[in-house]
């Protein structure tokens, strides 16, 4: 059996990267599965793109023993009812009358946490600007290729809150003192030939010399949270280097990351690891900059009237303007930070607290009245940031129902209905629209795949039991499957699976050119690419999209991993933080 956990601590298993993923040798009909595997009690589905109906069986890889039988309907096979004991070995799927089998996969009760959490943290460690795996800071933010909307710190807080005990049991890899000594040494050579990277070394120097460090024994996730916010305290003015018209400034979404931390301070008992003086600096930062950075307002860029439309050319669809497709201005992104700051300030600063709660109400009311889920740019078109809208709305409804505006429940249900209506296909894949586009026009949308489970599981948590809720949950898990091989290319999103995903047989077959941009090829646990419209519904030789990862992809993935954990039955998530953090 492939190793389940021990080999992913450092993530450098000796595995070659596949150059061109193909169906298993001798197979007359491809069988697309999640190559990592499935949760015992979760939805378990595969796609047979060339065979609409038929019979299938599941065999153990070791011993080739048949352990389950089922039927293929509309190219889909469902084996959710198969719930083997943990540690029973790997499995593969065989289609009656066809040669060959699917790639092997595992079924374990805690598979996703065991397989995905350490690589997720590894990526955040390696991708740090200057101090990570490359001495540069593309974009000038705490993480290479980061920007004001990339949500790194909140994503780490969500993940930590989902199971603090598991997180605290992870190996410690960050050594603050050693990192300080290395990057402040006269021999250290910072690579400043990157956009927006000026003043970074000054910020890093001040971070290591002016702030009290996190506790030596703090989990890496906490040290990363300290790093991200500490860096921004030293260098709060940023600019997105990728065709953004906004100037360098203190962006509201940077300030919002501090609000997440302030709310989590007591919930997660972060005073065990981080000095109170650091908390005070973060609180002062929010109180100084939140209103000025637009946190209390309704951003004009939320309006779908500002969205650009893709243009059809002889060579394909083209995006002349990247709004909303970068996900810079996700509607309602400031709702949850306002709610958090209301909770943080309601006793000490009641006048300020009133401003925060009123802003959250007004912003939520705007979404209810003004945002049309049927416009693709308002949902999937937000790329890696869509989850912010849905998670924020759901949190408001679940945790402050007496304060939430009316019709919020109905608005969330409408979103779920649109998602389900766009997912009736053999991949259980939420399309961009039902006309020309399966995926976001032109762009790589891996982050949307990674973040979508958070959207769907959050929304499902406030739906009544029934078909809509169960189908939405099924689609959420299908997007994890898509990331790890259940897609037309039958390839996982990681093009270097040996750096974090040892159970993956076929990684993404093309790589982004190395040693340019953010040097993400040096990071463990990266997610790089996925099929675009050109490969759907089943055209594995279709045109490739841009094959480069992005810190936003992994931040989105962190949030989905958190919701995958907290959405499980209580007896399977005993270590999660109190429900108010979910």
């Amino acid at each position: 059996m492939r190793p389940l956990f021990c080999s992913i601590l450092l993530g450098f298993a000796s595995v070659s990267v596949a150059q061109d993923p193909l169906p298993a040798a001798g197979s007359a009909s491809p069988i697309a599965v999640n190559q990592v595997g499935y949760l015992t009690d979760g939805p378990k589905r595969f796609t047979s793109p060339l065979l609409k109906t038929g019979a299938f069986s599941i065999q153990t890889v070791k011993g080739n023993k048949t352990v389950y039988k089922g039927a293929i309907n509309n190219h889909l096979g469902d084996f959710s009812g198969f719930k083997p004991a943990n540690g029973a070995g790997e499995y593969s799927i065989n289609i009656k009358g066809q040669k060959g089998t699917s790639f092997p996969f595992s079924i374990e009760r805690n598979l996703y946490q065991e397989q995905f959490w350490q690589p997720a943290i590894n990526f955040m460690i390696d991708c740090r600007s200057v101090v990570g795996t490359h001495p540069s800071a593309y974009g000038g933010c705490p993480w290479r290729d980061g920007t004001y909307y990339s949500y790194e710190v909140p994503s780490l807080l969500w993940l930590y809150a989902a199971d603090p005990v598991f997180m605290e049991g992870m190996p410690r890899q960050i050594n603050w003192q050693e990192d300080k000594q290395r990057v402040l040494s006269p021999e250290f050579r910072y690579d400043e030939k990157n956009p927006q990277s000026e003043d970074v070394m000054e910020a890093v120097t001040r971070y290591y010399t002016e702030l009290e460090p996190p506790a030596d024994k703090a989990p890496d996730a906490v040290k990363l949270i300290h790093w991200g916010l500490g860096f921004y305290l030293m260098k709060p003015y940023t600019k997105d280097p990728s065709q953004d018209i906004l100037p360098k400034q203190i962006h509201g979404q940077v300030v919002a990351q501090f609000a997440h931390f302030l709310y989590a301070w007591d919930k997660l008992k972060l005073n065990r690891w981080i000095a109170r003086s650091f908390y005070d600096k973060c609180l002062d930062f929010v109180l100084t900059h939140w209103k000025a950075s637009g946190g209390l307002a309704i951003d004009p860029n939320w309006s779908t009237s500002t969205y650009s439309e893709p243009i059809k050319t002889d060579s394909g669809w083209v995006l002349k303007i990247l709004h909303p497709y970068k996900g810079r201005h996700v509607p309602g992104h400031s709702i949850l930070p306002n709610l958090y700051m209301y909770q943080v300030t309601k006793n000490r600063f009641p006048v300020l607290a009133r401003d925060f709660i009123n802003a959250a109400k007004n912003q939520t009311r705007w979404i209810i009245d003004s945002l049309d889920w049927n416009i693709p740019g308002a949902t999937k078109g937000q790329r890696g940031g869509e989850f912010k809208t849905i998670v924020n709305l759901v949190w408001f409804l679940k945790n402050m129902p007496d304060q939430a505006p009316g019709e919020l429940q109905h608005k969330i249900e409408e979103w779920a209905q649109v998602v389900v209506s766009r997912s009736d296909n053999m991949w259980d894949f939420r399309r961009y629209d039902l006309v020309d586009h399966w995926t976001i026009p032109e762009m790589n949308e891996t982050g949307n795949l990674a973040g979508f489970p958070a959207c769907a599981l959050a929304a499902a948590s406030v739906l009544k039991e029934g078909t809509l809720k169960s189908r939405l949950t099924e689609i959420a898990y299908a997007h994890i499957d898509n990331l790890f091989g259940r897609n037309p290319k039958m390839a996982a999103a990681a093009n270097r699976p040996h750096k974090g995903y040892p159970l993956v047989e076929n990684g993404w077959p093309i790589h982004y050119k190395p040693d340019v941009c953010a040097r993400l090829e040096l990071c463990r646990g990266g997610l790089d690419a996925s099929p675009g419209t050109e490969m759907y519904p089943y055209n594995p030789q279709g045109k490739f999209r841009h094959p480069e990862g992005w810190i936003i992809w992994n931040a989105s993935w962190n949030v989905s991993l958190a919701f995958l954990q907290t959405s499980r039955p209580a007896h399977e998530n005993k270590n999660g933080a109190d429900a108010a953090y979910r």
Side-chain angles (χ1 to χ4, degrees):
M1 183 176 180
R2 295 169 293 171
L4 280 179
F5 184 61
C6 60
S7 67
I8 63 174
L9 168 55
L10 297 180
F12 291 106
S14 180
V15 180
S16 62
V17 179
Q19 296 303 306
D20 187 16
L22 294 170
S27 176
S29 182
I31 306 168
V33 298
N34 182 328
Q35 295 171 28
V36 173
Y38 303 84
L39 292 182
T40 305
D41 290 322
K44 294 183 281 291
R45 287 158 76 86
F46 70 90
T47 300
S48 174
L50 297 183
L51 191 66
K52 188 173 184 179
T53 61
F56 74 88
S57 60
I58 298 178
Q59 287 86 33
T60 58
V61 170
K62 185 177 181 180
N64 200 34
K65 179 183 177 182
T66 298
V67 290
Y68 188 85
K69 294 182 178 180
I72 297 170
N73 293 296
N74 293 321
H75 302 282
L76 288 161
D78 192 314
F79 55 105
S80 301
F82 179 48
K83 300 181 179 182
N86 275 3
E90 292 184 292
Y91 306 92
S92 62
I93 293 171
N94 175 272
I95 294 177
K96 185 177 181 180
Q98 305 291 347
K99 295 180 180 179
T101 64
S102 71
F103 292 115
F105 54 87
S106 300
I107 300 176
E108 298 285 339
R109 190 164 299 281
N110 207 34
L111 183 70
Y112 291 166
Q113 195 171 38
E114 292 171 341
Q115 285 299 303
F116 296 143
W117 280 40
Q118 188 67 57
I121 294 298
N122 290 348
F123 183 88
M124 304 303 289
I125 292 171
D126 292 359
C127 195
R128 288 173 297 165
S129 292
V130 181
V131 74
T133 52
H134 194 271
S136 60
Y138 188 100
C141 293
W143 281 269
R144 303 197 303 275
D145 220 2
T147 185
Y148 60 85
Y149 51 91
S150 44
Y151 206 74
E152 298 94 340
V153 168
S155 81
L156 288 162
L157 288 164
W158 282 111
L159 191 58
Y160 186 86
D163 192 340
V165 173
F166 188 91
M167 191 69 75
E168 291 165 16
M170 286 182 171
R172 294 342 188 231
Q173 299 179 68
I174 297 176
N175 186 305
W176 193 91
Q177 292 292 346
E178 290 181 0
D179 286 344
K180 173 183 178 180
Q181 182 177 3
R182 175 168 57 89
V183 300
L184 299 188
S185 167
E187 287 76 36
F188 183 77
R189 293 294 177 262
Y190 170 59
D191 181 355
E192 61 185 10
K193 298 176 182 179
N194 298 276
Q196 307 302 324
S197 64
E198 61 273 11
D199 303 326
V200 165
M201 277 308 298
E202 178 186 354
V204 171
T205 300
R206 292 180 59 208
Y207 169 80
Y208 281 112
T209 56
E210 295 182 15
L211 296 176
E212 191 170 343
D216 288 343
K217 294 183 179 180
D220 282 345
V222 173
K223 292 176 181 176
L224 289 166
I225 291 163
H226 185 279
W227 160 259
L229 298 181
F231 185 106
Y232 276 133
L233 285 173
M234 304 297 108
K235 184 182 181 295
Y237 292 87
T238 66
K239 177 177 172 57
D240 182 359
S242 56
Q243 301 179 38
D244 192 359
I245 63 173
L246 294 179
K248 180 176 287 189
Q249 60 184 280
I250 298 179
H251 290 275
Q253 291 184 75
V254 167
V255 185
Q257 297 203 45
F258 289 80
H260 283 261
F261 169 75
L262 296 173
Y263 178 76
W265 178 260
D266 289 329
K267 298 290 182 182
L268 302 181
K269 300 179 176 60
L270 295 177
N271 63 332
R272 294 175 292 163
W273 316 113
I274 296 177
R276 177 73 191 200
S277 61
F278 187 85
Y279 172 93
D280 291 338
K281 286 181 173 65
C282 292
L283 177 60
D284 183 65
F285 184 82
V286 176
L287 297 181
T288 301
H289 298 294
W290 185 237
K291 183 177 181 179
S293 65
L296 299 177
I298 293 170
D299 187 343
N301 288 301
W302 294 355
S303 173
T304 55
S305 66
T306 68
Y307 295 178
S308 65
E309 291 293 332
I311 300 171
K312 191 172 186 178
T313 68
D314 292 340
S315 60
W317 292 88
V318 176
L319 298 172
K320 294 294 185 182
I321 301 174
L322 297 182
H323 176 58
Y325 308 100
K326 273 287 186 178
R328 291 187 177 110
H329 309 289
V330 177
H333 61 72
S334 49
I335 292 172
L336 190 51
N338 274 313
L339 295 174
Y340 281 168
M341 288 308 300
Y342 168 74
Q343 297 289 349
V344 168
T345 61
K346 63 183 180 181
N347 293 325
R348 291 178 61 190
F349 309 108
V351 175
L352 284 176
R354 185 175 64 247
D355 291 340
F356 291 127
I357 188 61
N358 287 339
K361 290 178 180 180
N362 292 337
Q363 291 164 350
T364 303
R365 171 52 61 187
W366 183 91
I367 287 178
I368 293 170
D369 295 341
S370 304
L371 201 63
D372 184 355
W373 302 132
N374 292 295
I375 297 174
T379 55
K380 191 182 182 80
Q382 293 293 334
R383 215 173 172 204
E386 179 189 9
F387 69 87
K388 298 175 191 175
T389 302
I390 304 304
V391 166
N392 289 9
L393 295 177
V394 169
W395 196 97
F396 200 175
L397 181 63
K398 290 181 69 173
N399 294 283
M400 300 176 65
D402 295 338
Q403 299 268 31
E407 300 86 49
L408 179 53
Q409 173 79 38
H410 180 66
K411 191 69 175 182
I412 295 169
E413 290 176 358
E414 284 184 336
W415 177 87
Q417 290 163 352
V418 170
V419 165
V420 168
S421 73
R422 294 182 187 164
S423 306
D424 186 14
N425 55 70
M426 63 177 158
W427 305 102
D428 298 315
F429 180 76
R430 189 272 300 260
R431 295 181 54 155
Y432 179 81
D433 62 37
L434 295 177
V435 183
D436 296 308
H437 307 286
W438 283 69
T439 66
I440 294 172
E442 186 182 5
M443 306 183 83
N444 177 4
E445 66 159 37
T446 307
N448 189 264
L449 289 172
F452 176 78
C455 299
L457 294 172
S461 72
V462 297
L463 298 180
K464 295 179 181 178
E465 294 297 331
T467 303
L468 182 61
K469 182 185 180 102
S470 61
R471 178 61 176 149
L472 191 59
T473 301
E474 194 170 70
I475 297 166
Y477 280 82
H479 282 65
I480 304 165
D481 297 344
N482 192 298
L483 274 176
F484 292 96
R486 187 187 159 200
N487 59 57
K489 197 63 178 172
M490 295 178 65
N495 64 25
R496 293 172 177 83
H498 58 294
K499 290 188 174 183
Y501 304 105
L503 302 191
V504 168
E505 303 286 338
N506 274 336
W508 198 246
I510 60 172
H511 297 198
Y512 187 67
K513 50 191 175 183
D515 200 29
V516 297
C517 196
R519 283 83 169 191
L520 297 180
E521 73 278 0
L522 303 176
C523 299
R524 298 165 293 168
L527 300 170
D528 302 283
S530 53
T533 295
E534 299 84 354
M535 292 184 183
Y536 284 96
Y538 184 63
N539 178 29
Q541 301 309 316
K543 179 184 176 182
F544 286 102
R545 298 282 179 90
H546 187 73
E548 182 187 14
W550 194 8
I551 181 66
I552 293 178
W553 295 171
N554 282 76
S556 303
W557 182 226
N558 291 345
V559 181
S560 283
L561 290 177
F563 275 83
L564 285 163
Q565 187 67 15
T566 57
S567 67
R568 301 176 70 185
H571 68 277
E572 293 186 3
N573 186 40
K574 299 177 182 178
N575 301 322
D578 65 273
Y581 198 83
R582 301 181 191 177

